[in-house]
Amino acid sequence: MRLLIMGPPGAGKGTQAKAVADGLSVPSISTGDIFRKNVEAGTMLGREAKRYLDAGEYVPDEITNGMVRARLDELTEGFLLDGYPRTVAQVEALDKILADEGTTLDRVLVLHVDQDELVKRLTGRAESDGRSDDAEHVIRRRLEVYSEQTEPLLDIYAQRGLLVLVNGMGEVEDVTQRVLAALHQTG
Ligand code: ADP
């Protein structure tokens, strides 16, 4: 099973990606987590990525694409990608990576959460986790960048017949069950 999970910042992608990947016994790969770990460890990649993360901007495609290819090349079976692709150029890069392996995507999960709830969740996370990109002006920028650069990707995947829309409101466990049920239903 090769899946993407998409949705705006605060939709719960990371939380659901881990739970759903566990349920399906595939690894979940989060580009945001990989960037944050590199920032913490002070690697070259981390030093490059930090200023983009702190500003709520996307890390440049060349950096992100290379990182994802390296990670996916290590895998033999399926995966759940969380937070990638986020730009049209990344969609093309992922198509190429998969084509080189002779595979394609099976499904693209999209978590839908109301705008008010998104802002509430992100502000709450800023207080509890202290993520540097959860400051209010950065949150606003991340939501903007999402609607400008990433929302258009939903059309691309819809045209390929891959989209599976899931309501992301409510309890974490309920959302996980909805995602798994939706995957079963769409065969
Ligand atoms: P969220 O979706 O809640 O904003 P993530 O952890 O997925 O959180 O991403 C945090 C940050 O990491 C993004 O704002 C961006 O700077 C960087 N990032 C993650 N994935 C990508 C990507 N595919 N392309 C470019 N930058 C990315």
Side-chain angles (χ1 to χ4, degrees):
M1 193 77 115
R2 291 174 203 83
L3 303 173
L4 308 183
I5 187 161
M6 296 184 63
K13 288 188 303 290
T15 309
Q16 293 304 329
K18 290 194 186 85
V20 171
D22 272 358
L24 300 171
S25 303
V26 295
S28 74
I29 299 162
S30 156
T31 44
D33 279 354
I34 301 177
F35 284 132
R36 277 187 294 277
K37 280 191 191 126
N38 276 278
V39 170
E40 260 169 55
T43 64
M44 277 271 268
L45 174 65
R47 285 204 296 274
E48 278 209 79
K50 185 173 172 17
R51 60 193 154 117
Y52 300 104
L53 266 74
D54 287 351
E57 303 293 335
Y58 288 165
V59 176
D61 288 331
E62 313 78 66
I63 299 177
T64 310
N65 289 335
M67 180 181 91
V68 171
R69 180 183 272 277
R71 184 70 186 89
L72 291 184
D73 282 348
E74 292 170 358
L75 299 178
T76 47
E77 304 216 336
F79 56 78
L80 174 53
L81 263 176
D82 155 21
Y84 182 92
R86 292 198 200 215
T87 64
V88 174
Q90 291 181 12
V91 170
E92 289 162 3
L94 179 59
D95 286 344
K96 180 81 173 51
I97 296 171
L98 295 176
D100 288 348
E101 292 173 1
T103 62
T104 53
L105 287 174
D106 293 307
R107 230 84 107 251
V108 176
L109 295 162
V110 183
L111 286 179
H112 181 81
V113 171
D114 296 346
Q115 186 80 8
D116 286 353
E117 174 68 14
L118 289 178
V119 176
K120 208 169 87 192
R121 287 185 186 181
L122 290 166
T123 325
R125 190 166 76 185
E127 283 161 16
S128 61
D129 299 6
R131 246 176 70 165
S132 63
D133 59 351
D134 281 341
E136 200 185 321
H137 67 285
V138 184
I139 290 175
R140 235 178 290 125
R141 181 61 193 150
R142 280 161 58 210
L143 290 168
E144 232 170 63
V145 173
Y146 176 81
S147 67
E148 282 165 12
Q149 300 201 45
T150 304
E151 239 178 342
L153 307 192
L154 301 186
D155 281 341
I156 300 179
Y157 288 123
Q159 276 163 22
R160 297 184 191 178
L162 293 177
L163 282 201
V164 178
L165 302 177
V166 180
N167 173 9
M169 304 283 286
E171 298 294 325
V172 170
E173 292 76 20
D174 294 341
V175 177
T176 308
Q177 288 315 312
R178 261 178 236 148
V179 171
L180 292 172
L183 282 175
H184 283 298
Q185 273 162 26
T186 52

